[in-house]
């Protein structure tokens, strides 16, 4: 096994990591392979992992949570920037030896905790017990989530994190923490899509209500091992100081999901399904009247502000007609309860 990796200087500390085998060497040594069913793809190019970490901004002396580090390629690039505390959450036990090697090598310079578990269950607010909490309207929190996300759970994770952002819980209990994440190129383009874009969808509006998303760069699929069928986009997401609504997240998500449920049809068609048949025509018309939005517009033609006016109109009508709150047009006929399916995919 080769040990030719160049000794790395730790940013701003004068400290150095000892020589370490390359990621390729470690993958061969431990006979690691990406599992397609888990959406695993290894990024071996050190220039690209450095570029991902650079996109996160200044992380020196900050607190970093890395999602799905795998064999540790992005982890090395994070360590080189000398965060105060690095927590990596990895579900696959096969990667623990390579991560432990990095933890031991950097023990004199930073705290690195390895958590074997499911990121969907991880309690981020408990990750950094020594991290100071910032007021929301002050400078950004010194907390960063970075990750090469498994494609299979990336959208679900992002929606969950936006929910926590809206309630200022989880990573956002520390203040305005940032996200730097990889997505399939098409998903990354959806997140940042403006009005009239062919990519504009529920994910676009939900992100733009609570954050400022930015597509930083595209990584060609051939840079990953094994090569995925798609290219990958790196997106940064920074919470807004002043979110565009105070309506609770589940209500916003429910209404926006209905607005975009029939993307090529008039938006009134999707919104109408928020209401039971006996009230549908009346309340749909009233919704668009209150919102002052054209019911014959297509969903991708609506601005974020227009979507929110529909949300607020629906929220007002729910207060006046409490029985419609849990109506679900997809529920089986004759079902006892009409409960909405919720926002988690």
């Amino acid at each position: 096994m080769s040990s030719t990796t160049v000794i790395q200087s730790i940013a701003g500390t004068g400290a150095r990591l000892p020589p370490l085998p390359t990621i390729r060497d470690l993958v061969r040594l431990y006979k690691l392979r990406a599992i397609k069913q888990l959406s695993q793809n290894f990024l071996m190019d050190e220039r690209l992992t450095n570029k991902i970490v650079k996109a996160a901004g200044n992380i020196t002396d900050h607190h970093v949570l890395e999602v799905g580090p795998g064999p540790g390629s992005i982890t090395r690039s994070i360590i080189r920037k000398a965060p105060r505390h690095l927590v990596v959450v990895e579900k696959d036990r096969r990667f623990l030896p390579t991560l432990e090697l990095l933890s031991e090598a950097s023990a004199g310079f930073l705290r690195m905790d390895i958590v074997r578990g499911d990121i969907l269950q991880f309690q981020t607010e408990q990750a950094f017990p020594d991290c100071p909490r910032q007021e929301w309207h002050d400078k950004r929190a010194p907390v960063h989530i970075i990750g090469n996300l498994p494609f299979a759970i990336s959208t679900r994770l992002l929606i969950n994190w936006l929910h926590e952002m809206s309630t200022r819980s989880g990573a956002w209990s520390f203040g305005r923490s940032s996200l730097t994440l990889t997505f399939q190129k098409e998903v990354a383009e959806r997140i940042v899509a403006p009005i009239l874009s062919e990519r504009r969808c529920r994910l676009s509006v939900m992100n733009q209500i609570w954050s400022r998303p930015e597509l930083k760069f595209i990584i060609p699929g051939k840079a990953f091992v094994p090569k995925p069928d798609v290219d990958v986009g790196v997106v940064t997401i920074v919470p807004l100081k002043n979110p565009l609504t105070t309506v609770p997240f589940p209500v916003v998500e429910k209404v926006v999901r209905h607005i975009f449920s029939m993307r090529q049809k008039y938006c009134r068609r999707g919104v109408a399904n928020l209401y039971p048949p006996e009230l549908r025509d009346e309340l749909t018309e009233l919704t668009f009247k209150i919102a002052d939005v054209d019911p014959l517009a297509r969903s991708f033609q609506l601005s974020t502000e227009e979507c929110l006016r529909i949300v607020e109109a629906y929220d007002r009508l729910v207060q006046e007609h409490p029985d419609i709150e849990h109506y679900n047009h997809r529920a089986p006929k004759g079902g006892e309860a009409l409960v909405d399916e919720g926002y988690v995919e």
Side-chain angles (χ1 to χ4, degrees):
M1 181 178 63
S2 169
S3 298
T4 58
T5 300
V6 177
I7 296 176
Q8 305 294 341
S9 293
I10 304 298
T13 66
R16 294 178 181 272
L17 273 175
L20 293 170
T22 67
I23 289 294
R24 291 184 185 276
D25 286 338
L26 290 172
V27 167
R28 284 195 293 266
L29 173 66
Y30 290 100
K31 299 179 180 178
L32 300 174
R33 63 179 182 85
I35 299 177
K36 186 175 182 180
Q37 292 86 340
L38 298 179
S39 303
Q40 291 177 343
N41 300 95
F42 302 156
L43 186 58
M44 305 289 199
D45 190 329
E46 191 174 286
R47 294 168 301 176
L48 289 173
T49 60
N50 288 344
K51 192 174 180 181
I52 290 172
V53 174
K54 184 178 179 180
N58 177 30
I59 66 170
T60 301
D61 207 32
H62 287 190
H63 300 72
V64 178
L65 170 66
E66 186 187 359
V67 180
S73 51
I74 295 178
T75 313
R76 293 187 186 214
S77 294
I78 293 172
I79 289 172
R80 291 190 194 103
K81 294 297 183 181
R84 177 183 295 270
H85 187 183
L86 170 61
V87 176
V88 298
V89 180
E90 177 53 64
K91 189 175 183 178
D92 193 332
R93 66 162 58 91
R94 297 176 305 144
F95 299 125
L96 295 185
T98 61
L99 295 172
E100 288 166 355
L101 181 66
L102 287 174
S103 179
E104 292 168 4
S106 60
F109 319 120
L110 59 86
R111 174 180 173 182
M112 178 176 168
D113 296 332
I114 302 169
V115 178
R116 182 173 172 252
D118 187 343
I119 188 60
L120 290 168
Q121 307 299 325
F122 185 68
Q123 302 297 311
T124 313
E125 62 270 22
Q126 299 175 12
F128 305 117
D130 300 327
C131 180
R133 297 179 187 271
Q134 303 277 0
E135 290 296 327
W136 191 261
H137 289 87
D138 287 349
K139 63 183 180 180
R140 284 164 50 184
V143 174
H144 309 263
I145 297 177
I146 300 175
N148 177 27
L149 299 183
F151 293 159
I153 63 168
S154 62
T155 300
R156 181 180 177 187
L157 260 178
L158 181 55
I159 290 292
N160 288 353
W161 280 331
L162 288 172
H163 189 184
E164 291 183 346
M165 191 183 295
S166 76
T167 57
R168 301 181 185 180
S169 58
W172 295 273
S173 63
F174 300 103
R176 291 187 298 114
S177 306
S178 67
L179 297 159
T180 303
L181 307 167
T182 62
F183 298 91
Q184 293 182 55
K185 178 175 178 284
E186 182 176 317
V187 175
E189 290 172 344
R190 288 175 183 170
I191 290 169
V192 302
I195 185 172
L196 300 180
S197 166
E198 63 177 11
R199 297 292 193 197
R200 190 161 175 82
C201 64
R202 172 189 71 134
L203 208 52
S204 321
V205 174
M206 295 300 293
N207 273 276
Q208 292 162 29
I209 289 171
W210 281 282
S211 74
R212 186 182 73 252
E214 182 180 351
L215 176 55
K216 290 291 191 176
F217 58 94
I218 301 296
I219 302 175
K222 65 183 180 182
F224 293 86
V225 178
K227 178 184 177 297
D229 296 330
V230 296
D231 293 337
V232 171
V234 176
V235 178
T236 59
I237 298 172
V238 177
L240 295 172
K241 283 188 176 182
N242 297 298
L244 303 185
T245 188
T246 58
V247 176
F249 185 94
V251 177
V252 178
E253 197 282 333
K254 176 182 179 179
V255 177
V256 173
R257 173 162 35 90
H258 279 74
I259 290 172
F260 283 91
S261 64
M262 299 182 182
R263 191 174 182 278
Q264 295 300 329
K265 299 184 183 296
Y266 297 145
C267 62
R268 72 178 306 279
R269 291 282 300 277
V271 172
N273 286 328
L274 288 164
Y275 304 114
E278 65 274 15
L279 297 172
R280 184 164 293 159
D281 290 344
E282 174 191 350
L283 293 185
T284 300
E285 181 179 353
L286 190 53
T287 298
F288 283 94
K289 182 177 180 180
I290 294 170
D292 190 24
V293 172
D294 181 4
L296 302 184
R298 266 68 172 180
S299 56
F300 63 90
Q301 296 174 318
L302 298 179
S303 67
T304 302
E305 291 73 18
E306 287 173 316
C307 289
L308 281 175
R309 294 210 299 271
I310 295 173
V311 169
E312 289 159 0
Y314 170 79
D315 192 48
R316 171 177 157 182
L317 292 173
V318 165
Q319 310 309 315
E320 298 173 2
H321 305 272
D323 291 345
I324 69 175
E325 181 178 3
H326 299 295
Y327 172 72
N328 173 16
H329 78 285
R330 296 181 183 274
K333 302 299 182 188
E336 293 184 4
L338 297 176
V339 181
D340 185 74
E341 62 266 35
Y343 64 88
V344 176
E345 298 177 350

